[in-house]
């Protein structure tokens, strides 16, 4: 036995709390993709020796798109001793989680929610990977103008996120001669929405509404109305990204431009991760799955370099330099967000190709 070092049988894991929507009314498919990316990243970290020999472990909590449930989960995870919290897809849920994490002094890396004001006041505890909504949706407004759309209708549900999106579009289009016509996606039937589109002479309809209801019935109704054969249907929030959209709508779900946070071409790391995610998901990985993987890449780098104490993790956000699947990730302060923000995330507007619905066409680059 002499000369042999005795290693402990099990090193205490470094725990990361994870918030994902895994049941309705949350967007379950988005949650599944986000979790797949997170789990793939953790598996690779642990295969490479973990964090200083300690395995990385995820404590997953289903938010079901419920802000109160998410806030309660953050409380629970904090009590369980997680080093940080990560994840979430729905913006209103991420906002509740960020507020609670800030109050508790718990680092939160937001993987996939874009609402600008994640916190009511600037905080050192929260960082975010996706671009703020104001950036992405202004890119979308530029795309509309470039395509000649100045009378744009939005079928919107009541939500802080959808209201913010409509405001961004209106503020960006109005000085450039554009008009935003707001239609209540819950109060109006799909047939009534079609009547309003004809009456208002809209050339584009944007779906600021949930999936599958009411987005799917709205698309079907518009596509079947001969008076609206020339209208463009769009979905800035990215509903057509997921396979479930194509399964629900078939050909009707094509040629609907949406925001996508992937580069035109993936580099070597992105291509390798894409192949692994495709195998894990048994379908084409969405940009949300890449966001999940990049979340772990950032956290693992921070934990290795700065340790597992919560205050040290939060203090490390401005020092992050990590090669992610979609480019080099650095955080900076951006006016109006109050959090540490990756401001180089790629922004593309794509749609599903009518000739090949599984293929995405790039329509505009931001």
């Amino acid at each position: 036995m002499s000369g042999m070092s005795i290693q402990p049988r099990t090193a205490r894991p470094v725990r990361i709390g994870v918030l994902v929507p895994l049941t309705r009314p949350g967007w379950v498919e988005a949650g599944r993709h986000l979790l797949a990316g997170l789990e793939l990243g953790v598996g690779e970290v642990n295969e490479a020796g973990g964090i200083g020999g300690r395995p990385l472990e995820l404590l997953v909590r289903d938010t079901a798109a419920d802000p109160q449930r998410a806030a309660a989960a953050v409380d629970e995870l904090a009590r369980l001793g997680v080093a940080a919290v990560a994840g979430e897809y729905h913006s209103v849920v991420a906002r509740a989680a960020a507020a609670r994490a800030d109050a508790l002094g718990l680092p939160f890396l937001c993987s996939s929610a874009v609402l600008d004001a994640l916190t009511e006041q600037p905080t050192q505890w929260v960082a975010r990977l996706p671009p703020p909504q104001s950036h992405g949706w202004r890119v979308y407004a530029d795309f509309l103008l470039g395509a000649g759309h100045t009378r744009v209708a939005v079928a919107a549900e009541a939500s802080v996120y959808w209201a913010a999106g409509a405001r961004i579009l209106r503020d960006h289009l109005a000085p450039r001669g554009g008009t935003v016509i707001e239609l209540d996606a819950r109060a109006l039937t799909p047939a009534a929405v079609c009547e309003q589109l004809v009456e208002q002479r809209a050339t584009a309809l944007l779906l600021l509404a949930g999936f599958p209801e009411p987005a799917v019935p709205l698309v079907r109704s518009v596509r079947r109305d001969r008076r609206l054969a020339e209208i463009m249907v769009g979905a800035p929030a990215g509903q057509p990204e997921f396979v479930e959209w194509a399964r629900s709508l078939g050909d009707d779900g094509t040629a609907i431009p949406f925001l996508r946070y992937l580069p035109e071409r993936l580099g070597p790391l992105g291509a390798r991760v894409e192949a692994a995610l495709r195998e894990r998901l048994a379908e084409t990985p969405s940009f949300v799955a890449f966001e999940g993987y990049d979340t772990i890449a950032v956290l693992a780098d921070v934990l290795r370099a700065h340790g597992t104490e919560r205050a040290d993790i939060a203090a490390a956000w401005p020092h992050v330099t990590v090669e992610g699947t979609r480019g080099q990730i650095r955080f900076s302060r951006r006016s109006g967000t109050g959090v540490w923000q990756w401001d180089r995330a790629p922004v593309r507007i794509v749609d599903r190709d009518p000739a090949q619905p599984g293929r995405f066409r790039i329509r505009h680059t931001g």
Side-chain angles (χ1 to χ4, degrees), residues 136-146 168-169 172-173 349:
W137 288 51
R138 280 198 295 263
V139 171
Y140 200 97
D142 286 335
F143 161 70
L144 291 171
L145 290 169
I168 293 162
L169 292 167
H172 198 71
L173 290 172
I349 295 172

Side-chain angles (χ1 to χ4, degrees), residues 47-118:
E47 286 173 10
I51 307 299
R54 298 170 61 186
L56 199 57
E57 179 184 356
L58 299 181
L59 298 186
V60 180
R61 297 295 181 267
D62 173 22
T63 64
D66 184 336
Q68 292 182 337
R69 186 166 170 172
V74 173
D75 283 340
E76 180 202 3
L77 292 164
R79 289 194 302 270
L80 291 173
V82 298
V85 173
E88 195 46 46
Y89 175 78
H90 298 285
S91 280
V92 292
V93 179
R95 185 177 65 162
R100 199 70 200 118
D102 179 46
L104 294 171
L106 179 62
F108 174 42
L109 178 52
C110 179
S111 302
S112 194
V114 299
L115 190 69
D116 279 52
L118 269 186

Side-chain angles (χ1 to χ4, degrees), residues 330-366:
R330 296 173 181 264
F331 295 116
S332 62
R333 287 294 197 184
R334 183 169 180 142
S335 176
T337 65
V339 303
W340 289 101
Q341 175 70 54
W342 182 29
D343 57 7
R344 298 287 182 177
V347 178
R348 301 283 183 275
I349 295 172
V350 307
D351 65 6
R352 289 183 175 272
D353 189 343
Q356 191 178 342
R359 176 180 176 271
F360 295 100
R361 307 180 297 184
I362 295 178
R363 303 286 301 274
H364 185 77
T365 298

Side-chain angles (χ1 to χ4, degrees), residues 221-311:
S221 186
V222 171
R223 294 295 202 208
R224 283 157 176 68
D225 193 320
R226 293 181 180 178
R227 300 171 299 171
L228 301 173
E230 300 301 317
I231 200 166
M232 187 206 87
V233 180
Q239 297 93 322
E241 169 76 9
F242 296 97
V243 173
E244 192 179 347
W245 173 273
R247 289 178 185 146
S248 298
L249 283 164
D251 291 344
D252 285 344
T254 64
I256 297 179
F258 64 93
L259 284 161
R260 195 184 207 207
Y261 307 123
L262 284 175
E264 185 171 354
R265 289 182 182 83
L266 292 167
L269 172 61
R272 179 182 67 73
V273 169
E274 179 184 39
L277 286 168
R278 188 183 297 272
E279 182 176 354
R280 180 176 286 260
L281 290 162
E283 63 189 33
T284 302
S286 69
F287 68 82
V288 179
F290 289 91
E291 289 174 327
Y293 183 93
D294 286 342
T295 297
I296 297 301
V298 168
L299 287 174
D301 183 78
V302 168
L303 291 165
R304 287 176 181 135
H306 301 274
T308 60
E309 294 297 320
R310 293 172 179 175

